[in-house]
Amino acid sequence: MRVGVPREIKPDEYRVGLPPTAVREYVSHGHEVLVEAGAGEGAGYADADYVKAGAKIVPDAAAVFAGAQMIVKVKEPQPVEWARLTKDHILFTYLHLAPDPAQADGLLQSGCAAIAYETVTDPNGGLPLLAPMSEVAGRIAIFSAGETLLKHNGGMGLLISGVPGVPPARVCILGGGVVGANAAQMAAGLGAEVVILERSIPRMRYIDDIFAGRVITRYSTYDAVEQEILKADVVIGAVLTAGAAAPKLVRKEHLSKMKPGSVLVDVSIDQGGCFETSKPTTHKAPTYTVDGVVHYCVANMPGAAPRTSSEALVHATLPFGLQLADQGLDALKKNVHLAKGLNVLAGQITHPAVAQALGKPFSDPYRAWN
């Protein structure tokens, strides 16, 4: 199969779908890899590195899309990329379609098969292709929160770690999944007071075990959320429902009751955000303030660490990508977990949560295959 790697064109996005080490793996399987010139520069990979790994460098994205059968990316395709996709393409990338009807319509019109990293599953019900970026985002969230808390960035002027004799920041994390646990690890490591709100009792037990009581766990109810966000200096939004829009846990009416200069970091922004007042921001303009509360809602947080993120991501995506390249769409029939990643096929929405979020009909591909 001919596999294409275009340069990412979303603002402030420097990751790349395949580092050279992954290209070598595809080539060893007998596939041809087309890489857009300069696609890896943002993550520190030169075109010469790709040539050494066996790739063919092509001059622009148009050549990648025209020559490849499978497109491997990081972020969701942008409008110019929707127009380049056809019914003969397999698209393998993050999509986050639930809050993005325009992208969904673009993919439907293209006729392509679009497989979303964020809805591929594993035997334990986890999301293995979302996990590495959730780890990065959870850790960056605390660094970003600490910076945003500083007075010159609009925050209350609080050092997240405190100093002897001065209390540290109180960090409230909504969700104890991969993002939440990694955010807690960083915050607790800096000396912050950390509380995680979570609804899974086994998950809370796990968090209590790994942090040896250094992190407070609390069962998440509306009352608990309201109580904790009013005490918090930082709130990290880390909730996820696979394929669906994130629930709104912090409403606008809450903001005026929160501490002036407190910080909301919405890691769920790719799925629409879990704060009612969230809207996507960029690394160049990461924050805005509503009712005295500073919002940090960068939609591609791991893009700030493209080398780490590109390598961590491909470690997770590579086995699935190779299956697709080796077997084409037949791989979906043989691997039920990879099949869960199929969001769009032949002009139809094929993931139930995505269809529900978008208000579109759901087409079950399994019926056609079985």
Side-chain angles (χ1 to χ4, degrees), residues 116-367:
Y117 295 159
E118 72 271 12
T119 61
V120 173
T121 61
D122 64 22
N124 299 317
L127 302 172
L129 308 193
L130 189 61
M133 295 304 92
S134 295
E135 291 168 347
V136 174
R139 296 179 184 212
I140 287 178
I142 297 303
F143 293 141
S144 300
E147 276 289 306
T148 306
L149 270 177
L150 300 180
K151 194 67 176 179
H152 66 277
N153 289 325
M156 65 175 68
L158 184 68
L159 184 63
I160 198 168
S161 62
V163 294
V166 182
R170 184 176 176 92
V171 178
C172 172
I173 301 172
L174 304 178
V178 177
V179 170
N182 278 270
Q185 179 181 350
M186 299 305 291
L190 289 170
E193 183 180 10
V194 183
V195 57
I196 292 180
L197 278 72
E198 170 60 51
R199 288 195 169 183
S200 167
I201 294 174
R203 185 67 181 177
M204 286 189 282
R205 290 183 177 131
Y206 169 77
I207 290 168
D208 190 61
D209 284 344
I210 63 170
F211 287 107
R214 292 175 60 215
V215 169
I216 301 165
T217 56
R218 186 170 180 187
Y219 188 82
S220 182
T221 63
Y222 289 115
D223 281 347
V225 170
E226 288 181 348
Q227 291 168 17
E228 291 298 337
I229 64 174
L230 300 188
K231 292 188 286 186
D233 303 301
V234 171
V235 179
I236 307 292
V239 296
L240 173 72
T241 303
K248 307 299 184 188
L249 300 183
V250 177
R251 300 187 296 276
K252 186 178 188 304
E253 66 197 59
H254 291 135
L255 302 186
S256 61
K257 303 173 185 177
M258 294 177 65
K259 297 178 182 179
S262 58
V263 173
L264 297 179
V265 179
D266 199 341
V267 187
S268 303
I269 192 64
D270 279 329
Q271 291 294 118
C274 62
F275 309 138
E276 187 178 23
T277 46
S278 290
K279 60 183 180 181
T281 61
T282 66
H283 289 291
K284 285 188 173 68
T287 64
Y288 60 93
T289 301
V290 180
D291 292 343
V293 176
V294 187
H295 293 55
Y296 183 102
C297 304
V298 174
N300 59 332
M301 291 174 62
R307 187 68 174 244
T308 297
S309 297
S310 295
E311 293 186 13
L313 178 60
V314 82
H315 294 162
T317 62
L318 184 61
F320 295 97
L322 288 174
Q323 287 180 48
L324 285 168
D326 291 345
Q327 304 169 27
L329 293 180
D330 283 344
L332 304 179
K333 303 174 186 179
K334 299 175 182 179
N335 185 336
V336 65
H337 301 295
L338 179 56
K340 295 290 187 182
L342 186 65
N343 282 204
V344 175
L345 178 66
Q348 301 290 323
I349 297 290
T350 53
H351 192 286
V354 173
Q356 182 178 12
L358 293 170
K360 292 183 179 293
F362 164 61
S363 176
D364 188 350
Y366 301 104
R367 291 186 179 180

Side-chain angles (χ1 to χ4, degrees), residues 6-11 13 15 61 65 71-86 89-97 100-110 112-118 270 343-344:
R7 179 197 290 263
E8 296 294 325
I9 58 174
K10 187 166 184 173
E13 182 52 69
R15 290 172 287 180
F65 282 81
I71 303 295
V72 180
K73 283 176 44 62
V74 178
K75 289 304 291 177
E76 68 277 3
Q78 303 302 294
V80 67
E81 295 173 312
W82 311 339
R84 291 180 173 141
L85 290 165
T86 73
H89 280 122
I90 297 172
L91 174 64
F92 193 38
T93 189
Y94 287 116
L95 294 177
H96 299 292
L97 291 177
D100 194 350
Q103 184 202 168
D105 288 341
L107 296 181
L108 290 170
Q109 292 171 19
S110 76
C112 76
I115 299 164
Y117 295 159
E118 72 271 12
D270 279 329
N343 282 204
V344 175

Side-chain angles (χ1 to χ4, degrees), residues 1-7 16-19 22-24 26-27 31-40 47 50-51 53-73 89:
M1 184 176 284
R2 295 186 304 279
V3 179
V5 184
R7 179 197 290 263
V16 64
L18 295 179
V23 167
R24 187 176 180 185
Y26 277 87
V27 171
H31 305 297
E32 181 181 1
V33 182
L34 309 178
V35 177
E36 181 181 354
D47 288 349
Y50 284 101
V51 172
K56 177 182 178 181
I57 303 298
V58 297
D60 52 33
V64 173
F65 282 81
Q69 298 160 286
M70 183 167 86
I71 303 295
V72 180
K73 283 176 44 62
H89 280 122

